[in-house]
């Protein structure tokens, strides 16, 4: 019964933790190293990449269906929250951010997006901060787009609107303190 819960159909959008949102384009049976394997063939349009995932490895990899509406709502609420920036070395924070992005958990990705967002009137981000912010916001936008049946730029604009609306209050209070 547990195997049926993670079964994906051709055409389904899925989240592969290290690559983001992809689409199941085919279910294949192949013989590899003398073993018969059933494989999901995933297509990631943005990266122009095709990935074959053995059906028996889906759970251990962490591949999942798109988030529920409740989880999406939680992620969007996370974007409205106060940015949390630890005072640790950038290299340590960068590793933590990358781990959150690669977890595939939409709420953790929203945290990274929120924490690295900078309004236009704030100091410039470093190149690596901007890269991680773009990776997180793009990953979040792709899942939002798949769920709302829209495109990535539209979803990204929606995310940035939420950030722009809620971020200024946190930056203004920091400057006055």
């Amino acid at each position: 019964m547990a195997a049926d819960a993670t079964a994906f159909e051709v055409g389904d959008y899925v989240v592969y933790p290290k690559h983001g949102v992809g689409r199941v384009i085919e279910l294949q049976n192949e013989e590899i190293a003398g073993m018969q394997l059933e494989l999901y063939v995933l297509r990631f349009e943005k990266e122009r990449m095709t990935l074959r995932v053995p059906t028996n490895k889906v759970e251990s990899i962490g591949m999942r269906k798109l988030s529920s509406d409740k989880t999406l709502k939680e992620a969007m609420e996370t974007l409205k929250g106060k940015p949390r920036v630890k005072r640790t070395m950038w290299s340590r924070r960068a590793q933590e951010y990358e781990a959150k992005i690669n977890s595939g958990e939409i709420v953790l990705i929203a945290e990274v997006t929120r924490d690295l967002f900078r309004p236009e009137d704030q100091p410039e981000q470093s190149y690596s901060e901007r890269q991680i912010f773009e990776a997180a916001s793009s990953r979040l936008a792709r899942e939002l787009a798949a769920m709302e049946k829209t495109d990535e730029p539209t979803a990204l604009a929606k995310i940035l609107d939420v950030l722009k609306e809620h971020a200024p209050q946190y930056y203004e209070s920091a400057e006055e303190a």
Side-chain angles (χ1 to χ4, degrees):
M1 162 121 174
D4 292 340
T6 58
F8 305 106
E9 303 290 322
V10 172
D12 283 356
Y13 282 102
V14 296
V15 177
Y16 188 92
K18 291 207 181 335
H19 300 295
V21 177
R23 191 173 212 159
V24 179
I25 59 168
E26 193 180 347
L27 201 54
Q28 287 182 342
N29 281 307
E30 271 188 41
E31 187 174 324
I32 300 174
M35 290 177 56
Q36 227 12 68
L37 284 179
E38 190 175 21
L39 306 166
Y40 287 115
V41 181
L42 306 179
R43 180 76 186 148
F44 298 89
E45 284 305 321
K46 184 168 178 126
E47 292 86 3
R48 292 189 178 103
M49 176 177 74
T50 302
L51 194 63
R52 287 173 175 70
V53 180
T55 54
N56 61 351
K57 295 285 186 199
V58 164
E59 210 168 299
S60 64
I61 290 169
M63 195 167 103
R64 64 174 173 80
K65 292 183 184 245
L66 292 175
S67 297
S68 65
D69 289 340
K70 181 181 174 227
T71 309
L72 177 64
K73 206 172 254 136
E74 188 181 335
M76 296 308 276
E77 283 302 312
T78 299
L79 292 176
K80 297 175 184 177
K82 183 174 182 176
R84 292 189 189 94
V85 179
K86 295 180 184 168
R87 296 285 172 226
T88 56
M89 287 175 51
W90 167 246
S91 60
R92 171 81 37 90
R93 281 185 297 153
Q95 283 179 329
E96 289 174 12
Y97 291 145
E98 292 285 349
K100 285 181 177 184
I101 293 169
N102 289 332
S103 73
E105 295 294 321
I106 192 170
V107 175
L108 294 179
I109 295 168
E111 282 178 19
V112 174
T113 304
R114 174 200 66 205
D115 294 350
L116 289 177
F117 174 74
R118 292 285 174 281
E120 277 98 34
D121 61 349
Q122 291 298 308
E124 187 82 10
Q125 285 178 306
S126 72
Y127 177 77
S128 55
E129 275 183 312
R130 213 169 35 254
Q131 291 295 101
I132 294 174
F133 171 76
E134 287 172 6
S137 59
S138 172
R139 191 75 65 89
L140 186 59
R142 280 186 274 167
E143 188 158 358
L144 178 62
M147 291 178 74
E148 294 187 342
K149 294 176 177 45
T150 182
D151 60 353
E152 186 181 343
T154 304
L156 185 58
K158 182 176 180 178
I159 291 165
L160 292 175
D161 286 346
V162 170
L163 289 168
K164 286 174 187 167
E165 181 184 338
H166 294 275
Q169 67 191 18
Y170 299 116
Y171 288 99
E172 287 163 15
S173 61
E175 287 168 6
E176 293 165 6

